[in-house]
């Protein structure tokens, strides 16, 4: 694939926001256009999971282009909860095709204005219709995965809580995060039960927010070196294992192959932690740790901010927040900031290779993106 | 841009269908995979405008990949009523980028199971929220455009009816069309008023249906020679004219430039005729006729099946039908069949260059696609 670079990134603050979705995306765009005159932007790629139902608005790509005062072609891209990664990949392919030199990828979601049961109902539509018919919700299926993993690999409940504790610590250092406060293990372990054994602090929150990235074929600081995208069956009951996500493994293989890199080359990673168990599984699927050993690596501090391989320095979906369509692109913004040395209090020293991994639906359409400091 | 070819196309029959959206897309896919073993398909690009609200289903790209038994990466692409064209463009860019060799683009919509007022309400969400607030609907705005055009260019009501008559004639020759019957001018002119002066026969119907195209970088019969994509303001009141669509003009310029072709090189075209007036405006915006002269060209039979430049040989949105997300891709399938000599009773002799033009929303995100017989 032809070379593609990132030349500017921005984010809105994540959280409970009063602004409209177009206004949140505008806020993110303002940060992204610092290094580029907006007249060079030839097309806009817009990621949003379900603005039709969250905010009663369709034709979202044209709505956003209009709000950004960019009278240029636009595409809306959607792949459930990995939408933010998908929009980055589609934009990168458009630039690599030579059809465009410089494009903007934006992603956002506005959710907090709706009552939680309504949000849960909309979110559950991404599940297999077959399994949804039996009342499956995302937390219920994630709880099933958690139970299975805890049983097979003797993972302790306390270890899961460490994921949330680490995320909240990192979030406390991120001015864009939904939650910017430390949380004690005791509080996590005693929080309200959502779906046994997952408690409130094991689940990413409902958030509003947006992210923006400018991509270009002109040489810039950070290069896209690997784009991986992998799929799996829609229904969980058709998979041979619930304790790993083959869609991530396939996406990772594709990205590492394209980049000619190994898991050991990665200096910092953002992974999809919609539920605490996912972070542990993700770090195994990405080849950072052997299956069943992700929890132990976490306990030893390997994935902490000062560990060998810091994971979710932004606070992850858990603490940075999870406006579904935006999260995958927000991960890429965090990696960009880490590689350009702009991550402030959560900076990983000397990071040169970063990875973002995003899960679509219940791990049926996953993305892995590898970025590297340009040589 | 690197060379991209079409190597197989398929369609479901359009109309009032009992099958589900995934089943309609499967039906279209079966026709498209005649020339290609499905194990070579590396990714699926899925176009659907609003399955969330039409069929209560999200994560549509994963749902479709699953239904087609393709355990490969998928993207959902959406740009309102030009979604079917957008999904083709995104797929072509992915192939041209070198990231994939062979991909599948599918598009479909299931609408007829809902009551018409509900469909109209969902469709009106693509309009500018600002204008929608005042009760604007798509037919009401199209009627305003029609009134303006009739006044300025002295277009007669009877000429508009000729668009519908021609479409129904062509549809009568197309076994995939929603309507396969001739309609008399008298019937058109006396049909129920929708929004003055637009009558029922001036408006594309609510339809179900799907289309599928396989794209590849391996040399094949038909090549993508021009991809044009143009935008305009979301709100009509911000435009300098309602009697032409700049988004089409911009897309056409981009496509002609890329292909190094002129309007005079086009042998057959499918244009977006959601309303009869649009076909006349489209043929002007594409440079086939001067502004204000599209109606006269139609009257003279220039755009008839046996004319110099046959337009909407499929029957167009009017008679082939308009399952919104599918229509843009169905146009490309018709052009493919014309260029490969498979258009049966509606075959345009010796067609070598074909054009498809698709309108997103009220002409704010339009596409022009140029295909040519490979040399």
């Amino acid at each position: 694939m032809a070379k593609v670079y990132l030349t500017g990134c921005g984010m809105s603050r994540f959280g409970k926001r009063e602004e409209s979705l177009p206004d949140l995306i505008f806020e993110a765009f303002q940060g992204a256009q610092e290094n580029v005159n907006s007249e060079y932007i030839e097309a806009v790629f817009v990621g949003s999971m379900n603005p039709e139902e969250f905010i009663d608005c369709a034709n979202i790509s044209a709505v956003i282009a209009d709000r950004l005062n960019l009278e240029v072609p636009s595409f809306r891209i959607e792949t459930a909860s990995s939408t933010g990664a998908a929009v980055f990949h589609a934009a990168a392919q458009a630039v690599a095709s030579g059809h465009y030199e410089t494009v903007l990828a934006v992603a956002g979601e506005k959710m907090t204005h709706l009552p939680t049961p309504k949000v849960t109902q909309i979110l559950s539509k991404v599940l297999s219709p077959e399994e949804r018919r039996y009342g499956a919700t995302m937390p219920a299926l994630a709880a099933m995965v958690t139970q299975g993993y805890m049983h097979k690999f003797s993972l302790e409940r306390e270890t899961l809580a460490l994921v949330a504790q680490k995320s909240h610590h990192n979030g406390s250092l991120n001015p864009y995060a939904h939650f910017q406060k430390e949380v004690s293990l005791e509080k996590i372990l005693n929080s309200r039960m959502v779906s046994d054994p997952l408690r409130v602090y094991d689940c990413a929150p409902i958030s509003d927010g947006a992210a923006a990235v400018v991509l270009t074929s002109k040489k810039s600081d950070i290069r896209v070196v690997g784009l991986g995208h992998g799929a799996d069956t829609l229904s969980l009951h058709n998979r041979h294992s619930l304790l790993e996500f083959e869609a991530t493994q396939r996406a990772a293989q594709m990205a590492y192959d394209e980049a000619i890199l190994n898991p050991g080359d990665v200096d910092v990673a953002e992974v999809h932690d919609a539920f605490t168990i996912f972070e542990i599984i993700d770090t195994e699927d990405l080849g950072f740790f052997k299956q069943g050993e992700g929890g132990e690596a976490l306990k030893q501090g390997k994935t902490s901010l000062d560990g060998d391989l810091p994971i979710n320095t932004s606070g992850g979906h858990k603490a940075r927040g999870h406006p579904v369509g935006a999260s995958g692109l927000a991960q890429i913004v965090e990696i960009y900031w880490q590689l350009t040395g702009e991550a402030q209090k959560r900076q990983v020293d000397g990071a040169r290779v970063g990875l973002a991994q995003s899960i679509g639906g219940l791990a049926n359409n996953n993305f892995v993106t590898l970025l590297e400091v340009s040589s």
Side-chain angles (χ1 to χ4, degrees), chain A residues 141-154:
Chain A
L141 294 176
M144 203 167 72
V145 168
T146 310
Q147 293 280 13
Y149 190 102
M150 289 174 75
H151 178 73
K152 171 122 187 231
F153 298 114
S154 306

Side-chain angles (χ1 to χ4, degrees), chain A residues 37-45 70-75 94-95 98-104 214-218:
Chain A
N37 191 318
S38 68
E39 75 190 45
Y40 291 109
I41 294 173
E42 298 165 280
V44 188
F45 290 73
L70 296 170
E71 215 169 275
V72 298
S74 64
F75 286 96
V95 171
H99 199 65
Y100 295 113
E101 186 173 275
T102 301
V103 306
L104 172 69
V214 180
L215 298 93
T216 179
S217 54
K218 282 188 284 192

Side-chain angles (χ1 to χ4, degrees), chain A residues 212-294:
Chain A
V213 177
V214 180
L215 298 93
T216 179
S217 54
K218 282 188 284 192
K219 190 168 184 194
S220 195
D221 292 348
I222 306 299
R223 187 157 88 82
V224 183
V225 289
L227 294 176
H229 186 173
D232 205 341
T233 60
L234 195 61
S235 293
L236 289 189
H237 68 264
N238 287 331
R239 301 190 191 164
H240 85 270
S241 167
L242 296 187
L243 312 185
E244 60 194 309
F245 297 140
E246 287 193 7
T248 299
Q249 295 166 5
R250 291 168 183 169
Q253 196 58 56
M254 191 191 286
Y256 289 135
D257 285 351
E258 188 176 5
I260 319 178
L261 288 172
N262 292 307
D265 296 318
V266 176
D267 298 315
V268 58
E270 289 281 305
V271 307
H272 191 107
D273 60 328
F275 302 97
T276 45
I277 188 69
F278 284 11
E279 175 168 320
I280 293 173
I281 292 177
D282 296 340
T283 57
E284 297 170 358
D285 287 334
L286 291 165
F288 298 149
F289 310 113
K290 289 194 186 135
Q291 200 187 15
E293 298 181 5

